[in-house]
Amino acid sequence: MFRRYRRIAWQSPLVGFVVSAGLFLLIVLPSAIGQPWRFSLGETVRSILTWGLIGVAVALTALLGGVVAIAILDRGLTHTSLFRVSWAGIGAGLAVCAGWLIVGLIESAPGWLGGYLMLGAVAGIIAAIAAAALVNRAERRAADAPLAHPLDADRPDLSVGEQSA
């Protein structure tokens, strides 16, 4: 199982950084354009790095959730690829939601728990989509790869390319 998904383990922190830093550039920075006193170049770079590191933490949480979901539900990789893709996304999304809930409970400022729950829901949906896309890519790569090890690929009738339904 770990041989199949090892690339995801390296790619997910990078994807988390890029998505989170991109969200900063799309959401926060346009409101500061035309107001030079709001963000200097140094503050902008620092904010991009801060948002990016939060994205890395969220990506690692999603990675952990996806791996746990697949390890519990399909340890031997006997189910269809669609099953693993779906449950990796669900596991990643739930892990991210739970992570933001924990942050909200630790923060414990009055009235902020709902905000953390909404942030967790949005981040969980984004993480679920990203995890499903990465696992789908890994599954397609495993289906196309030659059989180097008997546990690396599914049975031929369950590969991604041969599913009709």
Side-chain angles (χ1 to χ4, degrees), residues 1 27 40 42 49 55 69 81 95 97 140 152 161 163 165:
M1 180 173 107
I27 295 171
S40 67
L49 290 175
S81 297
C97 286
R140 288 184 186 273
D152 281 345
Q163 290 179 358

Side-chain angles (χ1 to χ4, degrees), residues 61-75:
T61 304
L63 177 68
L64 180 65
V67 166
V68 167
I70 291 175
I72 289 173
L73 297 171
D74 194 17
R75 178 183 280 285

Side-chain angles (χ1 to χ4, degrees), residues 58-141:
V58 170
L60 292 175
T61 304
L63 177 68
L64 180 65
V67 166
V68 167
I70 291 175
I72 289 173
L73 297 171
D74 194 17
R75 178 183 280 285
L77 301 178
T78 57
H79 289 35
T80 63
S81 297
L82 181 61
F83 179 85
R84 285 188 294 278
V85 169
S86 301
W87 279 103
I90 291 169
L94 290 176
V96 170
C97 286
W100 280 109
L101 176 64
I102 291 169
V103 168
L105 291 172
I106 291 172
E107 178 68 27
S108 71
W112 280 94
L113 184 59
Y116 282 109
L117 287 175
M118 288 188 292
L119 180 63
V122 171
I125 290 169
I126 293 169
I129 292 168
L134 287 172
V135 171
N136 187 30
R137 187 168 168 232
E139 290 293 329
R140 288 184 186 273
R141 186 179 301 249

